[in-house]
Structures are given as C-alpha cells and as structure tokens.
Amino acid sequence: MTRDLTWSPHEVKVLREVQHLSQRSFAEHLGFAQSTVANWEKATREGTLHHETREVLNRELDRLSDEHRERFDRRCSVSPGKLGAGSATRTRHIIASLGDVVSPLPYYAPASAVEAFGSFLSSATRVFFLSGPAGTGKTQLTHHLADRCANDADLQIFAVTEWTDEHVDLASEVLRYASIPPGQDALLTLEKQCAGLSRPCVVVIDGVANDHDFAFIGRQVEAILRQVTTPHLRFFIAMRSPLAVETTAYPLMHANIYTSAKSPAARRSVELAQWTPAEARSLWDQTRTEQTPPYDQLPSGVQNLARTPVYLRLALAASLRTPRDDLNGYALLDQCVRAIIGDSDAVVSLLTDHAYLECREELPDTMPAATPGLTHVSATHTTLLPAHVTRNIARQHGDRLEFTHDILREFFVSTALADYLHAQGRCLASVRTLNDLTARAATSGTTRNITELVFQRLDNIAPDLLRYVATAPAASVESTLPLLMAVADNSRFATPELLRQVVRRAEHEPSLDLCRSLLHVRSVPAALGPGLATWLVALLRRFGTALWPDITRFVEHTFGIAEARDLVDAADLAVGDEAIFIARHFYLFSTATDLLHLDAFLGHANWRVRAALAEGINDDRAPLDASSLRVLERLAHDPDYKVRAAAARAGARVAGSSAQRHVVALLHDDNWHVRELVLRSLDQRAASDQGDTLVQTALNTTDADPSWQHCPQHVLPSWHRLRILLETDPGPGQDDDHRALLRLLREVRTGYLELSTTRIRAIMHRAQRSDHWLVRQEADQLATEIDQQPAHSSALRNRERFRRTRDTRAVQIALDVHDVDHAIGIAEAAVKAGADFVEIGDPLIKEAGVRAIEQVKTAVPDAIIVAEMMSADWGRDQVLLAAEAGADIVLLIGPATTASVSAAVDAGQRLGVPILLDAPANTTSQWVIDMERAGVDGFAITTNIDVGIGSATAFEKAQTLRSWTRLPVAVSGGFSVADHTQLTSADWDILIVGRSVTDAVDPITAAAHIVELAHQTGRQA
C-alpha cells in the first residue's frame, strides 16, 4: 500500500498522465463520469476528496507498473524508499534552496559539455569526468544538468568538502541521500536498490581538487562498480584542472570512463574552458551598472580574466571602475574584495584566518601551523559580517564561515603566504618554502591556484624577490621554475634578461617541464632574439617527439615569416628527426618551406620524412590548397610503398575531382597494403553518408579493375565493409565476407559505430543470410539488444566482466594439444567441471590454424575462449584473427612495443574482446603502468613446465606483479591438485592449468578436482 495521499488536483492529474490516459479514458477505467474526473483535477477545487474516492485512487496507484509508479513519485515529489525518485526529490529541494545565493548573472551552459553529458547518459559507460580551472563554473554546470536532464536521469549532488571524516562510506551516503537506510551492508543494500532503477541515477561528486581527494573517491567508486553491476548507477566526477589523475589504479572505473572520441588515446574528461570574448562581453554589458565601464573599455588583461565566470561575477559585484593599469588575477581579486569589504581589518583578519585553517592540509608541513601575520585572530571570531560580504564573499553560520567560491578562500590564503615570504625576504628559506609549495601544487589544484596567486601578489609588491627566486641555484627546475614561468607573461619580474637566464639554466639542467613552461611564455621570442631558432632546434634534438605538441603550439602562436624561416634554416634537414618535424608541420612554415624546401622533403633519402609530409596534409589544420594537393599527388607516386600508404590515409580529407583522382590512382597501386588503406580511409565517410560519391567512385574502380577479383583474403573485409555500408551487392556469385559483417555487428554493439536503426537492420538482414555461425549468432544478439538501452550491450561489458576476475579465483584450462577433436573433448570436460575459461593454446593454433578456435567454440558454445596468440608484432591483426574465429579473450605473448599493444587494445575495444598480456621476464613497475595506460585488461605470467625444477616459481613474480596493478593476474606453471599450497596461494586471480587436465586419462574428473579446489579455497590474508 502507498502512503495516504491527500489527492490534490495535481496528484490526480499526474496519476492519469503517467498512464497516458485522457480524462474520458481515465474516467471509464475507474467507473466515474468524465465531469467527475475533471472536477477532481480542477486547480480551484477546495477541500479534500471523499474517503471512498481516495481509496479508489490509492488502489489505482498501487496497480501502476514500476515504471509508471516511479514517474508518479518523481513528479509528485514522493520517495517511498526508491533510489531514483528519492534522489530526484532531494536534488530538486537542494537546487531550490540555492536560489537565493546563486549568481544573478544569466547562465551560459557550455553546449559541448551539455551535449557530452547527454551522450554519456545514452551510452553504456558509467563514469563521466568533468575538469576545468578554478572559477569556470563546474558546480553551476552540475546544477544546470540536474535541472535540464530531470526527464532523462536522476542526479545526486555531493561535494567532497562535505566529507570531513576519512571513514565516510560512499555507498551509505548514496542511500541516505534518497532517505534509504543503509542497513548492515550498505553495498548489498545499494545493489538491491539499483536493481529497481529504470533509468540512469547519476551520483555527482564535485570539488575533487587534489590527489588525496581522488584516491578517496576512486577507491569507493571502484568498490561500488565491482558490487553493483546494474548499468543505471553512474558517477559524475568534477575535478579542478590541471590536476592529472591516474585512473588505471581503479580498473573498473578506468574501463567505464566516457570519452567523446572512441579511441584508447582519447581525452578521458570533458574540459571546461573560459567563455569566448563574445560571451564575456555580452554577459558583462547586459548586467553592468552605469558606474561600471563597458567590456571594450577594460584593459586586455581584465577582459581576459572576465572570461572566467567567478572573476566576472566579482568584478560586477564590486562595480569595478576602469583600472589605470592592467591587472593580474590576484590584483583583480584584491580590488574586488576590498571594494566589497571596505577598510575593515577585523573582517579581513577573520576571513584570512578561516581560509588559512581550512586550507592548512593543502599546504606543505613546513608552512606555519597558524595563519602567518595575524596576532589578534581570537578577538575577531565574534565579528558579524555585513550583508554585502555574506552575499558575495562568505556566508556565516555561527562561528563557521562558508566562502561563496573556493577561489576567494585561496585569495586570502595567498595574501597571508605572500606577505609571509615578503617578510622573509631574499633568502634560502624563501626559496625552500616555494620549493615545498610548488611540489605540493603538482598533486593539488587548490595548492596550485594558491601558489599562482602568491606569485602574482609578489609580482605586484616585490618583483625583485621573484627574480631572486628564479635565478637562485636552489630553486627547483622540476616544480618552482616551471610554475613561476606559468605566470611570467605580462609580469614585472620576468625581464628579458631573467628569461634568458632561465633558458640557459634549462639547457644545463634539462627539465622537460621547465622547457614546456618556457614554450608557453609569449615574451620568450623577444627575449631570445636571434638565438630563438637555435634554442628550438636544441629542444628538438634533446627531447624529440615529447616536445612536438608544445613546440608546434609555440610556433603557431608566436612565429612570423622571419622566425619561421630562421627555424627552417637552423634545422639540419639532412638529419631525419629535424626534417621529419618540419615536414610533418610544413603548414606552419608555409612561406618558409617554399617549393625548394618542399622538393627537398619530397626527394629526401629518409622515407619517414616523405611520409611525414603526408601526415601533415592529413592534419585538420593544414590548408588543402593547390600546393598541398601537388605534394599529395607526388607522394601518391612515391617509389616507397610506405610513403604511398601514408598518402592513402590522407586522401579522405581531399574533396572534389582531386579526391577522385587520388583515390582511383591509389586503388590501382601495385601494393595491396596501400590499396587497403585507401578503403579504410573511406570508412568514416561511408558510415556517415550512405550516398557518398567518393566511396561510390572507389567501389566502381574496384569493380572495373580485374585485379580486384583476386583480392587477398586480408584485404577483402575492408572492401566488403564499404559495400555493406552502401548497401550494394557483393557481386555475382559472391557472398558478403563474414569478417566484414562480424566487425560491423560488433562495432555497432560496442558503440564504436553509430548508424541509424534502418541501416543497422539492413546489416542484420544480410548477416542472418550468412552461412557463418558466428555472424548469425552476432546478428541474433544484436536483434535482442537493439530495442534496449545501449547499457545492456553484452559486447561492451566484456572488458568490465573480465576485469572483475580480480580476487575471484578463476580457472583457465589450457588446451595445449595438437588435435582439434581431442581439444573439443577436453573443452567439454572443462565446461562441465565449471572452469571459467578455456584456452586455445599456441601448439593447437600452429597445428590447425585459427580455425581451431572456431571449431572448439562451435562445438562448445558455452565455453569462454581465450586465444593464445604469440607474436612480437601485428597486435591489431592478432586480435582480429582471434575475434573473427570466435575468441572471447585474446592472450598476447611477446608484443615488443607499446604501439603494437595499443593497436591490439584498439581492435579489442572495437570488437568487445578483452586483452590479456603476457608479462616479460624483465617486467618493471613502469612497464606495467605503460601497459595499463595503453588499455590492457589483465596480465599473465606464463611458466612452461619444460623449464624444470630449477626455475623460479611463477608465484614470486605474480606477487610482485599484483602489487603493481589492480588488474587480474593469470599464472601458469604446470599445476595439479597436488599443488595445494599454490592453489590456495593469495598471489593469483586466474590459474592456468594444462597438462594435469589435457593429459589426464579422465580429464573430466581431473578438471573437476582442480576447479573445485581452486574455487573453494578463499583468498588467504
């Protein structure tokens, strides 16, 4: 039974509307006249309905489906112990209570962030990261999204600053938010509550400002994701940049992060930036008072600061007058705060003391414990703040203060610290203090902003002190100098001579961070003068591709024709690395790289230089003018196929008749790799536009060329993929290539390929006619998912499921045999025994080919197949071969490069296939981090039994490896039921067993014994 509602006119109307009934239909349904129902809903109705009428409506409410009941509860602010409706109700009340304290400025929600959040809600991912500098409106955006998306999702809103207790349990907080008791086990209670969700419930966690905050949140979100598998429970984490967090320590979170670009290397957060000048001008001018100057009369520095919401709001609240001089961020805050507060030293002391004590944990231990410079703090605690201060600076709750924005709290802290350093003067202690402060700033967005404000205040009152610090040998080149250079533009301390000294120090003490920081200082070119080009070339030679993005940005924003020519002249174009950089970014040197230089690049002996030109043309920033097209045409006829392959990738950017000539020429190339890359470059066009003329030209060209009738098998999927996307027939006597169909179906299921429902159904129809079992199965699975939310896609959840095997004691039976029939029998025995995975070993694949995977999977469809692929290269192709044969997981042994692993991961994510990577003998913690960042889903330690008794135990390596990663670790080593110590060891997540089962006379019994022992022995402490 429901609670006893009064059945107001609104509640009656909602009860009817959630069932999509008209008044007439609703009246007939209940057995009343339509006029009676109309009276119930009349807004002017006075008094309550009769008891009998209320009982009828109560019974009707109790008969509602779960979906309709949740809609009713949400619209009527009723939360009968339900997570979704209870969350929506409380969030609505919270946002309503903020109405009297939010900024009166019109709110411009960044369209890109709103669109990204909408895409997140419709995706299958469960974690959304929002980042942005202080004051860019992250909190306001979360409130806007809670209101805007109320019809699509329920949001909870938390702030990390609310959780002062280290023992706060996020699962309990989520439940309490919706007024649900956590019970004895909050995770289990949350799991049960989430099972009843019918749409996304998004837990917003705002205010993550340092590594400690993120570690606290990361551990708790990871635990919830591990326990609560319902895809409707999601998380939105708002972080202050430039905080760089490492998400790989939390495997399930890492696998669930929303990215706008479907690539392992894509940015893993949505970044909030400043308003555009036009947006800031519009907001400023429509809300300023008559005493406040128009936006265009403000100094350029203030105009730039006003593009940040918090600065604009404060400047308007303070009725900022036109300053005589330009202002840095600190000076603008100082002028606004003093205009609001006035000359009250007591108020300033009170606010400074509270701010310092709140931020004390963000500061190094070497900083003073009490607020430096304040001797009368205790006398100020009873000060009552004026109304204009509580409205704009800090709200007062008894003895507690709450700043209206973090940046104001940091302003008061920075004032105290800057004055403290100023009082210390030019001494080693000041340098050490700043070294400690800037080192802490590397892991805390709060401390970084405080430090930048300290530098800006010192620049205003003591620029000589900053010059002393910048040239002091004790100043850290890894922390202090890079952060000091970040505020060098338009400063008083950064004279040309000082910048030259810092550059010379960076040459003698190479620091990548310091060089990056210098490359963002706009006054460096003028300071270095004729030596600029030599310095940039030296950076290219010392740091290589690590600095390419920074040097490219530097050239793009600061170079004119003369500087560009100087850099080209200073570079040794005979040296590959320097020539490759210039060629790759030729569009930045368009006037300097005249035809003579382009000819030199086109005729360069190093093929990578010529290929770099093609990559440059493929850059969206490169103009597609007549010169670029002539270069591309030359590259398309280069004698080296690798250069022509690079030109093939660039062809998709070209338009019109030039594009058609380019595509036709390369489809007639004498190398099939080049031809295939042309087809792959057209893939996005075919997916976006079914009638794309360039794709149709490509297909007409292949149809007319007899050589394409003998197309190699590895090229066929790319060719047939375009045919399927354009819905053209494969040709007389031909069927659609099953690999092309499989890839398309999988990519639709994983969300990598976005097509209309009509086009998806057309592909499914072709797939259901295929004679290949896996294609038909894939089509059937997609058919069951197509009408559901993307969150229900089993293909997309494969990585998450595999990562859950951490700490779960899984058993993998390795079919290291040479006969497929024998392998099928053992696979059947393994599945009957309850083995978690069945591995198609390398000996069987070498003997029977990848068809062995298909044969075992066909015979034992319930087996989760792990394909052991041994290769030091071709990571992408290894995954494609295994997945197309039916593998559910791919174990790669021997990849030599991160690039090969990244290519394998990209293919695995497209096809929903987790990647398990063999750890080499010389594994290091850094290698593990690099592989986690590349996106692998687990590690394996393979120890062959043939190495004999002299080998080190695999568990010693596994113990070390598991201490470096939270991904599952698989271990092999000739185990049997006799190895009781190993089977009960705490150092494995997946136990790989081979000969003790495959060579057993009774493999069913052998598998059953080892599975039972492994599954029943819990992890030891």
Side-chain angles (χ1 to χ4, degrees), residues 835-993:
D836 302 275
F837 307 108
V838 173
E839 175 189 318
I840 310 297
D842 181 66
L844 183 57
I845 291 177
K846 281 188 167 63
E847 181 74 29
V850 292
R851 280 190 57 81
I853 301 172
E854 180 180 343
Q855 291 171 289
V856 174
K857 185 70 173 179
T858 304
V860 195
D862 292 335
I864 299 178
I865 299 296
V866 179
E868 183 185 36
M869 308 295 284
M870 300 190 69
S871 174
D873 206 348
W874 300 97
R876 171 184 175 273
D877 294 64
Q878 298 291 318
V879 175
L880 289 178
L881 285 169
E884 289 163 358
D888 301 289
I889 300 162
V890 174
L891 167 59
L892 290 178
I893 297 183
T897 64
T898 302
S900 181
V901 173
S902 296
V905 167
D906 181 62
Q909 292 185 4
R910 285 179 176 273
L911 301 179
V913 175
I915 304 300
L916 185 61
L917 185 63
D918 179 57
N922 57 347
T923 299
T924 63
S925 60
Q926 185 58 51
W927 179 87
V928 171
I929 292 172
D930 291 342
M931 295 303 103
E932 286 180 330
R933 289 173 177 167
V936 301
D937 300 293
F939 296 98
I941 294 177
T942 53
T943 306
N944 196 301
I945 194 173
D946 294 333
V947 298
I949 61 174
S951 64
T953 171
F955 292 102
E956 295 174 4
K957 300 177 184 177
Q959 183 179 38
T960 302
L961 183 56
R962 291 185 84 254
S963 71
W964 291 336
T965 182
R966 287 295 302 164
L967 292 172
V969 174
V971 181
S972 72
F975 306 118
S976 69
V977 290
D979 298 311
H980 187 272
T981 302
Q982 285 81 6
L983 291 180
T984 58
S985 167
D987 299 322
W988 58 268
D989 304 296
I990 303 172
L991 193 73
I992 303 177
V993 181

Side-chain angles (χ1 to χ4, degrees), residues 323-382:
R324 287 178 299 177
D325 301 315
D326 217 340
L327 304 176
N328 60 25
Y330 178 88
L332 178 61
L333 285 171
D334 185 57
Q335 187 166 326
C336 294
V337 168
R338 293 192 180 281
I340 294 170
I341 293 177
D343 298 326
S344 175
D345 291 338
V347 171
V348 172
S349 296
L350 173 64
L351 294 174
T352 302
D353 189 44
H354 273 275
Y356 191 87
L357 294 178
E358 284 184 21
C359 289
R360 186 61 192 85
E361 292 185 358
E362 298 283 350
L363 304 176
D365 294 337
T366 54
M367 302 302 295
T371 313
L374 292 187
T375 58
H376 57 286
V377 171
S378 60
T380 68
H381 279 293
T382 58

